[in-house]
Amino acid sequence: MSAGQAFDIAVIGAGPAGMTSALMFASKGFSTVLVAPKVNHEDGRTTALLQTSVALLETIGTWEKLRPQAAALSRMRMVDDTGRLIRAPEVTFDSAELELEAFGYNLLNKDLNRALEEDAQRFGNLTFLHATAKSYDFADTEVSITLSDGAVISAQLVVAADGRNSPARMASGIDVRRWDYPQVAVVLNLGHERPHGDTSTEFHTPTGPFTLVPLPGRASSLVCVVKREEAERLVALNDGALALELEKRAHSILGKFSILTKPQMFPLSGLTARQLSGKRLALIGEAAHVFPPIGAQGLNLSLRDVAELGRLVDDARARNEDIGGATVLAAYQAKRAGDINTRTAAVDALNRSLLTDFLPVQLARSTGLYLADRITPLRKFLMREGIAPGTRPARRNSATAS
């Protein structure tokens, strides 16, 4: 079947990573098509966007409308609540040490999705096709994509942002490594009596992190990682009983809790693609990597995929090179593999260190946090490379967000 409308770049998937990718390419002047059946406007979960992600959203012009709906993350506190023999000291990372107003900002996924979808209307060179990609023909000079409505389009480069079970990745024959954890994340938003002070608090418990992340006002999002049986017990509680249970787990640091959204359960698992690219195909987001919701790394890692791919494709065009050719895709693989592998390994190691009773592992985790607390250069390095990778000191504004 011959291809119909031709584009420079086809982005498959309309999650935050996919829509940001499509907007970024369109802002750079590429004719871009975004292929997805619909945008999720009901996702009550939240995303903590770190500084590099905020910078990307500023570049495409979306951040200005999102900032009033976001809460600043100025401090990140880690508390060892394992109750074990060897425990780490409490450690607080403060963005002021990096001369930043905040490490990033937390906002509702549905607000992020809505803003990105609205901004897609700003670009005449961005086409949003509400369909699914049914099949791919990866040829030497282009990719032909047959859609669910029977239409056929073509592009020089396909960007797969279609999730952990990515059909585009499978069509390209790229294999993945998968693994599961004996944990489930209970996710909800809650209100509280005391102000959070723009501080995110992560309690390390024997079953995984219990993390409170600021939302605007006296509200926070919660990720509570527990065993499946405990997760099922928690979500079965009525709102009053659940609020009391969660307040106890938080040691009442924010006072009395109230439940704002229905709790949801998400089994924890991991995935890494064996390759980040195939013939005229680049993987971004969960099509390339999945790991537990620890340290606000998930979408931020995905948006670093987007930013790097955008730079490489833009540079190729400037040199009159093939934007979907092997040179660009090999460079993308080389640029992103290290970051992805490092973040995946770090999150996996931290998560597994909470689950083990093996004393040497507990000692190693505790020692690492102790050194981060006591050695300023190490703490700043961890903040830059682990919490806000790629940031540089910047002058603080006298009016900080509340």
Side-chain angles (χ1 to χ4, degrees):
M1 184 179 294
S2 60
Q5 190 172 1
F7 299 89
D8 295 327
I9 297 168
V11 179
I12 314 299
M19 286 193 285
T20 302
S21 176
L23 284 165
M24 178 201 63
F25 284 119
S27 71
K28 292 177 180 291
F30 293 99
S31 63
T32 307
V33 61
L34 178 61
V35 179
K38 61 180 180 179
V39 175
N40 186 348
H41 294 297
E42 307 301 324
D43 190 350
R45 294 175 296 169
T46 67
T47 291
L49 294 171
L50 300 180
Q51 284 290 350
T52 50
S53 298
V54 170
L56 177 58
L57 292 175
E58 286 177 334
T59 299
I60 64 175
T62 303
W63 179 245
E64 184 176 356
K65 69 173 64 174
L66 285 171
R67 177 62 188 94
Q69 304 171 62
L73 306 179
S74 298
R75 285 163 295 280
M76 295 189 176
R77 177 169 56 178
M78 296 185 180
V79 181
D80 190 328
D81 197 27
T82 61
R84 289 172 174 152
L85 177 63
I86 301 176
R87 293 191 295 275
E90 180 177 319
V91 179
T92 298
F93 298 99
D94 194 324
S95 61
E97 292 189 68
L98 298 184
E99 300 180 42
L100 295 171
E101 289 187 4
F103 292 118
Y105 301 85
N106 194 38
L107 73 165
L108 296 172
N109 285 1
K110 61 184 179 182
D111 290 339
L112 174 60
N113 287 342
R114 184 177 298 108
L116 291 169
E117 183 180 27
E118 289 173 357
D119 276 1
Q121 309 304 315
R122 290 192 289 113
F123 295 97
N125 58 331
L126 174 54
T127 302
F128 195 161
L129 298 180
H130 294 281
T132 56
K134 303 299 289 185
S135 64
Y136 299 85
D137 180 10
F138 296 95
D140 290 337
T141 58
E142 65 179 18
V143 183
S144 294
I145 308 168
T146 302
L147 306 181
S148 53
D149 60 5
V152 180
I153 60 174
S154 67
Q156 296 178 57
L157 173 66
V158 173
V159 179
D162 49 350
R164 65 185 66 196
N165 296 316
S166 168
R169 184 189 66 219
M170 289 188 282
S172 185
I174 298 174
D175 196 11
V176 298
R177 180 173 69 91
R178 298 178 185 266
W179 62 95
D180 295 311
Y181 296 96
Q183 300 156 287
V184 171
V186 177
V187 178
L188 70 151
N189 300 333
L190 46 82
H192 39 76
E193 286 183 317
R194 299 173 187 163
H196 47 57
D198 296 340
T199 299
S200 174
T201 302
E202 182 172 283
F203 293 94
H204 292 170
T205 81
T207 60
F210 177 96
T211 308
L212 294 160
V213 188
L215 284 171
R218 294 193 179 188
S220 294
S221 59
L222 170 71
V223 177
C224 175
V225 177
V226 292
K227 298 295 179 68
R228 174 172 288 279
E229 296 78 10
E230 180 64 3
E232 292 172 347
R233 184 187 75 83
L234 289 174
V235 300
L237 296 174
N238 63 46
D239 283 359
L242 178 58
L244 182 59
E245 172 79 19
L246 297 176
E247 181 190 337
K248 290 178 180 178
R249 289 173 183 249
H251 301 280
S252 298
I253 62 169
L254 295 176
K256 185 178 179 180
F257 282 174
S258 60
I259 305 303
L260 300 181
T261 61
K262 182 179 179 180
Q264 301 178 71
M265 297 195 313
F266 298 92
L268 300 194
S269 62
L271 173 151
T272 55
R274 303 287 185 181
Q275 299 170 233
L276 299 176
S277 62
K279 191 174 185 179
R280 296 198 170 273
L281 174 72
L283 307 183
I284 66 170
E286 290 196 346
H289 43 76
V290 175
F291 47 71
I294 297 175
Q297 290 296 315
L299 181 58
N300 291 286
L301 187 66
S302 301
L303 295 185
R304 295 204 295 277
D305 296 340
V306 172
E308 187 61 56
L309 184 60
R311 281 191 289 269
L312 292 169
V313 171
D314 207 20
D315 288 347
R317 177 180 58 182
R319 297 191 300 266
N320 292 317
E321 294 179 0
D322 185 349
I323 63 170
T327 300
V328 169
L329 293 171
Y332 177 65
Q333 172 77 34
K335 291 283 189 179
R336 293 302 302 139
D339 186 18
I340 292 169
N341 292 338
T342 299
R343 308 298 161 181
T344 301
V347 169
D348 181 73
L350 175 57
N351 188 42
R352 294 186 188 278
S353 75
L354 297 176
L355 300 178
T356 183
D357 289 323
F358 190 47
L359 287 177
V361 174
Q362 295 179 34
L363 179 61
R365 180 174 63 85
S366 299
T367 300
L369 289 173
Y370 173 82
L371 294 174
D373 183 51
R374 296 301 181 93
I375 302 175
T376 300
L378 174 61
R379 187 169 60 254
K380 288 186 175 182
F381 172 80
L382 291 174
M383 284 190 285
R384 286 200 182 100
E385 300 306 320
I387 297 175
T391 59
R392 292 293 179 267
R395 182 174 297 175
R396 289 172 59 87
N397 191 307
S398 58
T400 55
S402 59

